Amino acid sequence: MKVNGFACKAGAVTSDDFYFKGLAVAGNSSATPYGSVVTAANVVQVPGLNTLGVSLSRIDYAPGGVNPPHTHPRATEMIFVLQGTLDVGFVTAAGNRLVAKTLAAGDVFVFPRGLVHFQRNAGDAPAAVVAAFNSQLPGTQSLAAAVFAAEPEVPDAVLTKAFQVGTTEVEKIKSRLAPKKS
Amino acid sequence: MKVNGFACKAGAVTSDDFYFKGLAVAGNSSATPYGSVVTAANVVQVPGLNTLGVSLSRIDYAPGGVNPPHTHPRATEMIFVLQGTLDVGFVTAAGNRLVAKTLAAGDVFVFPRGLVHFQRNAGDAPAAVVAAFNSQLPGTQSLAAAVFAAEPEVPDAVLTKAFQVGTTEVEKIKSRLAPKKS
Amino acid sequence: MKVNGFACKAGAVTSDDFYFKGLAVAGNSSATPYGSVVTAANVVQVPGLNTLGVSLSRIDYAPGGVNPPHTHPRATEMIFVLQGTLDVGFVTAAGNRLVAKTLAAGDVFVFPRGLVHFQRNAGDAPAAVVAAFNSQLPGTQSLAAAVFAAEPEVPDAVLTKAFQVGTTEVEKIKSRLAPKKS
Amino acid sequence: MKVNGFACKAGAVTSDDFYFKGLAVAGNSSATPYGSVVTAANVVQVPGLNTLGVSLSRIDYAPGGVNPPHTHPRATEMIFVLQGTLDVGFVTAAGNRLVAKTLAAGDVFVFPRGLVHFQRNAGDAPAAVVAAFNSQLPGTQSLAAAVFAAEPEVPDAVLTKAFQVGTTEVEKIKSRLAPKKS
Amino acid sequence: MKVNGFACKAGAVTSDDFYFKGLAVAGNSSATPYGSVVTAANVVQVPGLNTLGVSLSRIDYAPGGVNPPHTHPRATEMIFVLQGTLDVGFVTAAGNRLVAKTLAAGDVFVFPRGLVHFQRNAGDAPAAVVAAFNSQLPGTQSLAAAVFAAEPEVPDAVLTKAFQVGTTEVEKIKSRLAPKKS
Amino acid sequence: MKVNGFACKAGAVTSDDFYFKGLAVAGNSSATPYGSVVTAANVVQVPGLNTLGVSLSRIDYAPGGVNPPHTHPRATEMIFVLQGTLDVGFVTAAGNRLVAKTLAAGDVFVFPRGLVHFQRNAGDAPAAVVAAFNSQLPGTQSLAAAVFAAEPEVPDAVLTKAFQVGTTEVEKIKSRLAPKKS
């Protein structure tokens, strides 16, 4: 049986339904153009989370690596820094105010529900956080990719207005962010 | 007394607490660089909405005008086209897929909670919509402004990684979107 | 797969799942004894609304037409007047106070969750509104019909007490509101 | 301090904040024209209920007494019959179907959120129920009174359309249900 | 079709889906070692409760009988005393303060969501309550049994620390509460 | 202004409202009789969490240390092991089934909303976790203390029934868990 779109195991659950070891090892942050990588532990990986309203992720950052500006449509995020030094921030909806902080290992910071936020490894060593969400499947929308790498494309006529630049700049960003064709 | 951060008038309400005439007239869409303007009818303008979980806006678009890519952190949006022709779309969180449509007067379209979406007047005449939200104060975050016009600034080191371009392009967009100084 | 009792299409959605053109044309308000007609755009007509918590309706009124007193069990309603002049009102639960207003084109008004409300076309021309609800399926219960036209019938012994009149009046209303037999 | 519009006592609560003895004695069901009377135990009488989402009422019925058709805007109701025999029912929103049952002492019955429902003492002895609600303040809207005894009045032009009778019948019901003037 | 893990009958409901007579007769309180017995009327017994967020139970107590300390993971409970005299109480999460009261027939008392609570028949005659919950399936966790009679067992190393006694006492309680083997 | 019982700073927030460094250092797990200590980062320590529905804690365990069986009345918990080896488990409400696992550094485990759970340092070195909750103030009720160390005391007549032992054992546990008098 399905509940909420995911399996409902009821009495048939085992402890493995509530367990995941995939956050134990650092993700390969050099495998992305951003120098960061997210490993999720949500209802997809941890079936026992179904209907329970919480999940975790691990994010690893190479030196200089960036988790680019993004939103979670369905959750607030609260991070705990496992190691390294991070510049983090979110932008308020009213007034575009940047609320930012430099974090050290053991620090926590909150990114309110739905707001644009980012992290950047400001140190010379790898950095990592554990991120908590109040959703079993928070969703993530990376903004540059959503706007410049969508398929089909968001029309240039929208983007030149939005960013107040010409098609040259828009096309340049689109080409840089375009999904790789095989 | 305050409830939920807004006035709780209880027995002292009048019909004016549930009424607003500010959506009757088209906003001045030429007053913005985007060619569009939003007029809100949420709990700030309509005090009777407090705790009731719904609100409306009117959006007017000059020919070619764009409501640039943005999100509502706390609401799904559903629009009804009052007049004109609009190209609209949202981008999915999983896979950056653009879900788009061209709308005529009387059409409705849904922008799911928290996802990036936009509208563009694709015609030669003014266009307008009424937008419904399932929040008394949905919030709006315009993405280009949040990322490139925040104060303090989002660091270039974050934005060059996110958009995969150099500081030249980043600084150019920042200068175009910068809040006007008096 | 079903979620919430409706289809969950996940990655298979198309833009048509979020689109509906059925509100573009005025309903036939003369086809009902009330002189008004409601056209819905909820999760039944717009499958993409599933789990998103909002919907719209269009209501058309002939001159003198009435949307009779009714409730929405699961939603607050907020209307925008497309055309015409309407007398609208809701009754408070505490004290049976009528909160009423005469609306012109472009005005908005709020009917709080679950409360009895009505609209009447107070002008000589057709009127219409777009109504927003904070539910994907708000439900509607027309009170005169619920009480006097239910099948099986609500007992006269209940209705004579409730309305403090005799069976003559109750039977008369029942006969007027009875579902038409073929 | 107030939370949710009611006192937040936090550490200063006593057991009396969670206690009420007002349901122990039958209300005076002959004091109303309906032959029934409701005694509430919600957040107004039991301050400790604030934010907890549940409440109770006791309803007493004289022989033949009726709790006239009404709705609770914010709650489902589930009754337990303390004594007597009751005819109860609710009307569905889709199709005006009456879902009815005759109840004896110890029986339970459910009235779904927001739907019109009623009870009638079908026996020769007093009857009583305990009613549970999933709201600390469910609200009650008695439909005949809301429609025919509101102040200011719901216009006859609305009521004659809604009930499909003339002003004679409408004015008659209004006069019977009118709040008593002193 | 299933909604929420239970049947969704929609238009096929009958009045029996909203009805239950199983609370009419006292449960056999002498059949348990505690001298109390709970009879439930939740979504399992009353299918019409699905999605409606409320349920009832009846609890019967022999003289001296105890409903041992327990929690409801998903609901606040509010009781109405049908007969007898009860000592009741709950313990606050902050500070382990006992909030207690002696109740007589007709009294009501509230046990806030998730907190440890108990009832004890303090009289010489049988006692009984009707209990209301703001969940269609509140769940019950009896604490002594959860801790000392779980299968597999909670390790002695946990319990000796928790209760600050030796394995002798822990094993004694485990043996007394162990599920009976056939 | 207060919202939800806590300060609402609105536009006056600073980044320190969303930041906390108190989880960076291990708590003194030898200062408690259990060999474990919890350090909270909820709305009390992090004012910016107000209305956002998430919080964190850090738990440190000496070798052999136990976080004794407890519940969170308002939240599911999901832990990430920072260091060490832990035996963890929760008990289901239906059937008292122990769902247990031995965790190593980097593992995650879920304790569903409201259910009894515990952790024990099964290794020879200190252990620590970060715990995420889907509540800004989840609350914690330690069961042995709630039942045996409440003030005023839970009556022996309740506890001897609940644990099926005599007053000797009950009084012994009470004396061991009693709050220290100065």
Side-chain angles (χ1 to χ4, degrees):
Chain A
M1 187 182 7
K2 300 278 184 178
V3 169
N4 214 16
F6 293 91
C8 173
K9 300 190 172 183
V13 291
T14 73
S15 60
D16 284 341
D17 291 312
F18 300 89
Y19 168 75
F20 186 58
K21 64 179 181 181
L23 303 194
V25 179
N28 181 5
S29 59
S30 63
T32 75
Y34 307 112
S36 76
V37 64
V38 178
T39 309
N42 59 42
V43 70
V44 176
Q45 293 83 24
V46 188
L49 283 173
N50 196 12
T51 78
L52 291 182
V54 76
S55 60
L56 295 177
S57 286
R58 174 189 179 126
I59 316 172
D60 289 282
Y61 314 82
V66 167
N67 188 6
H70 63 283
T71 62
H72 304 291
R74 292 183 294 271
T76 294
E77 177 178 359
M78 189 172 184
I79 59 169
F80 173 90
V81 181
L82 293 171
Q83 60 175 312
T85 304
L86 289 170
D87 287 337
V88 306
F90 67 85
V91 182
T92 64
N96 292 320
R97 191 152 71 86
L98 177 68
V99 177
K101 194 85 181 176
T102 299
L103 305 182
D107 286 354
V108 305
F109 200 77
V110 179
F111 305 110
R113 174 180 298 261
L115 295 186
V116 172
H117 61 285
F118 63 86
Q119 304 102 29
R120 179 176 178 274
N121 183 345
D124 297 329
V129 305
V130 169
F133 302 90
N134 61 337
S135 166
Q136 69 179 43
L137 194 63
T140 297
Q141 188 155 46
S142 190
L143 298 179
V147 171
F148 287 100
E151 296 193 296
E153 294 186 16
V154 176
D156 280 9
V158 169
L159 297 177
T160 53
K161 280 277 190 192
F163 291 86
Q164 298 281 304
V165 290
T167 52
T168 306
E169 286 83 0
V170 164
E171 287 296 327
K172 182 171 186 179
I173 300 175
K174 280 188 173 177
S175 69
R176 298 288 171 85
L177 293 174
K180 295 295 176 290
K181 312 295 185 183
S182 55
Chain B
M1 184 183 7
K2 300 279 186 177
V3 168
N4 215 16
F6 293 91
C8 173
K9 301 189 170 184
V13 291
T14 73
S15 60
D16 285 340
D17 292 311
F18 300 89
Y19 169 74
F20 186 58
K21 64 178 180 183
L23 303 194
V25 179
N28 181 4
S29 59
S30 64
T32 75
Y34 306 112
S36 76
V37 64
V38 178
T39 310
N42 59 43
V43 69
V44 175
Q45 292 84 24
V46 188
L49 282 174
N50 197 12
T51 77
L52 292 182
V54 76
S55 60
L56 295 177
S57 288
R58 176 191 178 124
I59 316 173
D60 289 284
Y61 315 79
V66 167
N67 189 6
H70 62 283
T71 63
H72 303 290
R74 292 183 294 272
T76 294
E77 178 178 359
M78 189 171 183
I79 59 170
F80 173 90
V81 181
L82 293 172
Q83 59 174 311
T85 304
L86 288 170
D87 287 335
V88 306
F90 67 85
V91 182
T92 63
N96 293 318
R97 191 152 72 86
L98 176 67
V99 178
K101 195 85 182 174
T102 298
L103 305 182
D107 286 353
V108 306
F109 201 78
V110 180
F111 305 111
R113 173 179 298 260
L115 295 186
V116 172
H117 60 286
F118 63 87
Q119 302 101 33
R120 179 175 179 273
N121 184 344
D124 296 328
V129 306
V130 168
F133 303 91
N134 61 338
S135 165
Q136 67 179 42
L137 194 64
T140 298
Q141 188 155 46
S142 189
L143 297 179
V147 171
F148 288 99
E151 296 193 297
E153 293 184 15
V154 176
D156 281 9
V158 169
L159 296 177
T160 53
K161 282 275 192 194
F163 290 86
Q164 299 280 307
V165 291
T167 52
T168 306
E169 286 82 0
V170 165
E171 288 296 327
K172 182 172 186 179
I173 300 175
K174 280 188 173 178
S175 70
R176 298 287 172 84
L177 293 173
K180 295 295 175 290
K181 313 295 188 184
S182 57
Chain C
M1 186 181 8
K2 300 279 185 176
V3 169
N4 214 16
F6 292 91
C8 173
K9 301 191 171 182
V13 291
T14 73
S15 60
D16 284 340
D17 291 312
F18 300 90
Y19 168 74
F20 186 57
K21 64 180 179 181
L23 302 195
V25 179
N28 180 5
S29 58
S30 63
T32 76
Y34 306 112
S36 75
V37 64
V38 178
T39 310
N42 59 43
V43 69
V44 175
Q45 294 82 25
V46 188
L49 283 173
N50 196 12
T51 77
L52 290 183
V54 76
S55 59
L56 294 176
S57 287
R58 175 189 179 125
I59 316 172
D60 289 283
Y61 315 81
V66 167
N67 188 6
H70 62 284
T71 62
H72 304 290
R74 293 182 293 271
T76 294
E77 177 179 359
M78 189 172 185
I79 59 169
F80 173 90
V81 181
L82 292 171
Q83 60 174 313
T85 305
L86 289 170
D87 287 336
V88 305
F90 67 84
V91 182
T92 64
N96 293 320
R97 191 152 72 86
L98 177 68
V99 178
K101 195 85 182 174
T102 299
L103 305 182
D107 286 354
V108 306
F109 200 77
V110 179
F111 305 111
R113 174 179 298 260
L115 295 186
V116 172
H117 61 285
F118 63 87
Q119 304 101 32
R120 179 177 179 272
N121 183 345
D124 296 329
V129 306
V130 169
F133 302 91
N134 60 338
S135 166
Q136 68 178 43
L137 194 63
T140 298
Q141 188 155 48
S142 189
L143 298 179
V147 171
F148 288 99
E151 294 193 299
E153 294 186 16
V154 176
D156 281 8
V158 169
L159 297 177
T160 54
K161 281 275 191 194
F163 291 87
Q164 298 281 305
V165 291
T167 51
T168 307
E169 286 84 0
V170 165
E171 288 296 328
K172 183 171 185 179
I173 301 175
K174 279 188 174 177
S175 69
R176 297 288 172 83
L177 293 173
K180 295 295 175 290
K181 312 294 186 185
S182 55
Chain D
M1 184 185 3
K2 300 279 185 178
V3 169
N4 214 15
F6 293 91
C8 174
K9 300 190 170 183
V13 291
T14 72
S15 60
D16 284 341
D17 291 313
F18 299 90
Y19 169 74
F20 186 58
K21 64 179 180 183
L23 302 195
V25 180
N28 181 4
S29 58
S30 64
T32 75
Y34 306 113
S36 76
V37 63
V38 178
T39 309
N42 59 42
V43 69
V44 175
Q45 293 83 25
V46 188
L49 283 174
N50 196 12
T51 76
L52 291 183
V54 76
S55 60
L56 295 176
S57 287
R58 176 190 178 125
I59 316 173
D60 290 283
Y61 315 80
V66 167
N67 188 6
H70 63 283
T71 62
H72 304 289
R74 292 183 292 271
T76 294
E77 177 179 359
M78 190 173 183
I79 60 169
F80 173 90
V81 181
L82 293 172
Q83 58 175 311
T85 304
L86 289 170
D87 286 337
V88 306
F90 67 85
V91 182
T92 64
N96 294 318
R97 192 152 70 88
L98 177 66
V99 178
K101 194 86 183 175
T102 299
L103 305 182
D107 286 354
V108 306
F109 200 78
V110 179
F111 304 111
R113 174 179 298 261
L115 294 186
V116 172
H117 61 285
F118 62 87
Q119 303 101 32
R120 179 175 179 272
N121 183 345
D124 296 327
V129 306
V130 169
F133 302 91
N134 61 338
S135 165
Q136 68 178 43
L137 193 65
T140 298
Q141 187 153 48
S142 190
L143 297 179
V147 170
F148 288 99
E151 296 193 300
E153 293 185 16
V154 176
D156 281 8
V158 170
L159 297 177
T160 53
K161 281 276 192 193
F163 292 87
Q164 297 282 306
V165 290
T167 53
T168 307
E169 287 83 0
V170 164
E171 288 295 326
K172 183 172 185 178
I173 300 175
K174 279 187 174 178
S175 70
R176 299 285 172 85
L177 293 173
K180 295 294 174 292
K181 313 295 186 184
S182 56
Chain E
M1 186 183 5
K2 300 279 185 178
V3 169
N4 215 16
F6 293 91
C8 174
K9 300 190 171 183
V13 291
T14 74
S15 61
D16 285 340
D17 291 312
F18 299 90
Y19 168 75
F20 187 58
K21 63 179 180 181
L23 303 195
V25 180
N28 181 5
S29 59
S30 64
T32 75
Y34 306 112
S36 76
V37 64
V38 178
T39 310
N42 59 43
V43 70
V44 176
Q45 294 83 25
V46 188
L49 284 174
N50 196 11
T51 76
L52 291 182
V54 76
S55 60
L56 294 177
S57 288
R58 175 189 178 124
I59 317 174
D60 288 284
Y61 315 80
V66 166
N67 188 6
H70 62 284
T71 62
H72 303 291
R74 293 182 292 271
T76 294
E77 177 179 359
M78 189 171 184
I79 59 169
F80 173 89
V81 181
L82 293 172
Q83 59 174 314
T85 304
L86 288 171
D87 287 337
V88 306
F90 67 83
V91 182
T92 64
N96 293 319
R97 192 151 72 87
L98 177 67
V99 177
K101 194 85 182 175
T102 299
L103 305 181
D107 286 354
V108 306
F109 201 77
V110 179
F111 305 110
R113 174 179 297 260
L115 295 186
V116 173
H117 60 286
F118 63 87
Q119 303 102 31
R120 178 176 178 273
N121 183 346
D124 296 328
V129 306
V130 168
F133 302 90
N134 62 336
S135 166
Q136 69 178 43
L137 194 63
T140 297
Q141 189 156 46
S142 189
L143 298 179
V147 171
F148 288 100
E151 294 192 298
E153 295 185 16
V154 176
D156 281 9
V158 169
L159 297 178
T160 54
K161 281 276 191 193
F163 290 87
Q164 298 281 305
V165 290
T167 52
T168 307
E169 287 83 0
V170 165
E171 288 295 327
K172 183 173 185 177
I173 300 175
K174 280 188 173 177
S175 68
R176 299 286 172 85
L177 294 173
K180 295 295 175 292
K181 312 294 187 185
S182 56
Chain F
M1 184 186 3
K2 300 279 185 176
V3 168
N4 215 16
F6 293 90
C8 173
K9 301 190 170 183
V13 291
T14 72
S15 60
D16 285 340
D17 291 311
F18 300 90
Y19 168 74
F20 186 58
K21 64 178 180 184
L23 302 195
V25 179
N28 180 5
S29 59
S30 63
T32 76
Y34 307 112
S36 75
V37 63
V38 179
T39 309
N42 60 43
V43 70
V44 175
Q45 293 83 24
V46 188
L49 283 174
N50 196 12
T51 76
L52 292 182
V54 76
S55 60
L56 295 176
S57 286
R58 175 189 178 126
I59 316 173
D60 289 284
Y61 315 81
V66 167
N67 189 6
H70 63 283
T71 63
H72 303 290
R74 292 183 293 271
T76 294
E77 178 179 358
M78 191 172 182
I79 58 170
F80 173 89
V81 181
L82 293 171
Q83 59 175 311
T85 304
L86 288 170
D87 287 337
V88 306
F90 66 85
V91 182
T92 64
N96 293 318
R97 191 151 71 88
L98 177 67
V99 178
K101 194 84 181 177
T102 298
L103 305 182
D107 286 354
V108 305
F109 201 77
V110 179
F111 305 110
R113 173 179 298 260
L115 295 186
V116 172
H117 60 285
F118 63 87
Q119 303 101 31
R120 178 176 179 274
N121 183 345
D124 297 328
V129 306
V130 169
F133 303 91
N134 61 337
S135 166
Q136 68 178 44
L137 193 64
T140 298
Q141 188 155 48
S142 188
L143 297 179
V147 171
F148 288 100
E151 294 193 299
E153 293 185 15
V154 176
D156 280 9
V158 169
L159 298 177
T160 53
K161 281 275 192 194
F163 291 87
Q164 298 280 307
V165 291
T167 51
T168 306
E169 286 82 0
V170 165
E171 288 296 326
K172 183 171 185 178
I173 300 175
K174 279 188 173 177
S175 69
R176 298 288 171 83
L177 293 174
K180 295 296 176 289
K181 312 295 186 183
S182 57

